[in-house]
Amino acid sequence: MSGVDAGARAVWGGQARAYAESFAAVCARPVGELLDAVGAGVGVRLLDVGTGSGNVAVAACGRGARVTAVDAEPGMVELTANAVPRADVGVAALPSLPFADDVFDVVTANFVLDHVGWPRRAVAELGRVTRPGGRVAVTVWPVPAGAGHALLGRATLAAGVRRPEHRTVLPPETDFPRTENGVTGLLRDAGLATPVARTIAWEHHTDARQWWRAAESGVGFNGHLIASQPAATRAAIRRQFEALAAGFVGPDGRLALPHRALLATGTVPASPGRRHDS
């Protein structure tokens, strides 16, 4: 396990319920388009990797797909198993999945590559378990992020809190540009054919107090960072958050937070040209 993988496990460990009640709604926005991209439908064998609280699995089962879903966090697995009793749900994580080659028709990974130490190896693994001619679809957060997505990070920086030096970042040789061209290049380098990517944009509507409570509870990297601060620093971050959030308040008094995501798909090539490594 890389330092990035270990760090992600530490951030998300024990946060399943808090995530499901907060930021899961944001991550659910691209689900329909993700499933459209792989042609998920009746009888399609679909694997959802990093399923979180199960939004992709629920929607795929609703389309009649034969769903398998995995996540590294046992709490997430429990939530998904309860939400989708028809799915085969278990604990597993990239870059090594416990499935044979060519098992699934399609594979999805919704905002998972943002949390892995070897993105190219992870995508190659998604392709390995997909049959030749099958589709792989992923979403990632772009850089720069949408203004709403960046709100908590901006508030934290404005309060004088900096990114922890011990937090592992991807070295340049394993990272990829978080752009449409960057993610299509990643899929191509991992062995997928005809990769394409596009940007999805939307506004997430939420209550400012609810958005803050989710972060203060420790959900996600920014939440983990905020929750680890002393009380006085958390109060300073909240003041900055409230000042910055005022710029996103709509006529109904709720926040309208602009978000963007990259949706990329590729096809597993037929043997012998397909690749299982990176």
Side-chain angles (χ1 to χ4, degrees):
M1 184 188 302
S2 75
V4 171
D5 295 302
R9 307 280 174 83
V11 166
W12 291 105
Q15 292 293 340
R17 183 67 60 183
Y19 167 75
E21 294 173 352
S22 57
F23 298 130
V26 182
C27 297
R29 170 56 181 80
V31 166
E33 288 159 281
L34 188 77
L35 294 176
D36 289 344
V38 295
V42 176
V44 171
R45 297 169 299 171
L46 180 144
L47 170 66
D48 184 42
V49 178
T51 196
S53 55
N55 286 317
V56 174
V58 169
C61 276
R63 295 184 179 208
R66 296 160 53 193
V67 175
T68 300
V70 297
D71 199 278
E73 168 56 33
M76 299 289 192
V77 170
E78 182 179 358
L79 286 178
T80 300
N82 290 334
V84 202
R86 288 186 293 155
D88 181 8
V89 186
V91 176
L94 293 167
S96 181
L97 298 173
F99 305 109
D101 296 356
D102 310 338
V103 172
F104 300 99
D105 297 316
V106 298
V107 174
T108 56
N110 194 35
F111 300 115
V112 174
L113 297 183
D114 299 290
H115 307 289
V116 300
W118 297 282
R120 190 176 298 109
R121 189 182 302 175
V123 174
E125 181 72 350
L126 300 179
R128 180 188 68 79
V129 300
T130 309
R131 64 168 175 79
R135 302 280 286 170
V136 173
V138 303
T139 52
V140 297
W141 298 114
V143 176
H149 185 82
L151 175 58
L152 288 168
R154 288 173 58 207
T156 303
L157 286 172
V161 179
R162 296 295 181 261
R163 180 192 185 100
E165 293 183 0
H166 66 272
R167 185 177 187 242
T168 306
V169 298
L170 293 178
E173 63 270 19
T174 62
D175 204 356
F176 66 98
R178 308 306 167 108
T179 62
E180 290 181 10
N181 287 339
V183 72
T184 55
L186 173 71
L187 268 58
R188 185 180 299 109
D189 290 345
L192 298 183
T194 60
V196 294
R198 61 187 176 89
T199 300
I200 302 170
W202 72 98
E203 284 187 344
H204 179 67
H205 296 265
T206 185
D207 178 85
R209 287 174 295 181
Q210 180 184 22
W211 200 244
W212 172 256
R213 283 198 302 270
E216 194 175 35
S217 69
V219 179
F221 170 69
N222 284 314
H224 188 73
L225 180 60
I226 290 167
S228 68
Q229 303 302 312
T233 304
R234 291 199 304 274
I237 298 171
R238 181 167 188 171
R239 288 192 295 271
Q240 295 294 337
F241 167 80
E242 291 172 346
L244 292 168
F248 297 99
V249 176
D252 61 355
R254 288 164 58 83
L255 300 182
L257 300 176
H259 281 71
R260 295 186 298 119
L262 300 171
L263 169 61
T265 61
T267 302
V268 174
S271 299
R274 67 180 303 191
R275 291 161 48 184
H276 284 170
D277 56 6
S278 60

